Structure formats: C-alpha cells, structure tokens
Amino acid sequence: GSVVGKEDALDSTIADITKQISASDARLALRRQRYEAQFLQMEKMISQLQGQGAFLASQIVGFQNMAAGNANRR
C-alpha cells in the first residue's frame, strides 16, 4: 500500500513536470517564431536603408561632380 501510494504520487509528479516541459517548449517555439520574424523584418529594413544610402551617396557624388564642372567653366 505505502509503496503503491508513493509510486502513484511520483507518477503524478512526473506527469505534471512533463506537462510543464511541454508548455515551456510550446512557449519557446512561439517566442522563437516571433524573434525570427522580427529578425527577418530587421534584415529587410537594413537592406532598404543600405539601398537608400547607396542612392544618396551617388547623388552626392553627382552634385560634387556637377559643382566641380561648373567651377571649372568659370
């Protein structure tokens, strides 16, 4: 009787811990998905900003060349 009761209690504890682990795994999977989506969005934004930076840099060079050409004509 006593051993069976302790065994049942341990089985119940194991079942509870297993449920907690499963719930934690599910929360971690959702968190990972959220972080991956945020990371991909950040990567996309960085790429767009780099493209804008390259465009602006080329515009500045064009303005500098234009200004240098106008200065040489004087």
Side-chain angles (χ1 to χ4, degrees):
S2 172
V3 173
V4 173
K6 288 183 181 182
E7 198 173 277
D8 288 344
L10 287 175
D11 286 342
S12 177
T13 300
I14 290 170
D16 289 342
I17 291 171
T18 301
K19 286 179 188 176
Q20 291 173 7
I21 290 171
S22 295
S24 291
D25 286 345
R27 285 192 306 271
L28 286 173
L30 289 173
R31 186 177 296 166
R32 180 181 177 146
Q33 288 175 345
R34 187 175 68 244
Y35 287 155
E36 285 177 352
Q38 289 174 350
F39 182 80
L40 290 174
Q41 188 65 28
M42 181 186 64
E43 288 277 313
K44 184 178 175 181
M45 291 175 70
I46 288 171
S47 178
Q48 290 172 347
L49 289 172
Q50 287 173 333
Q52 289 176 354
F55 171 77
L56 291 173
S58 69
Q59 292 296 308
I60 289 170
V61 169
F63 291 141
Q64 289 172 337
N65 290 340
M66 189 170 50
N70 287 340
N72 289 336
R73 290 184 193 154
R74 291 183 182 176

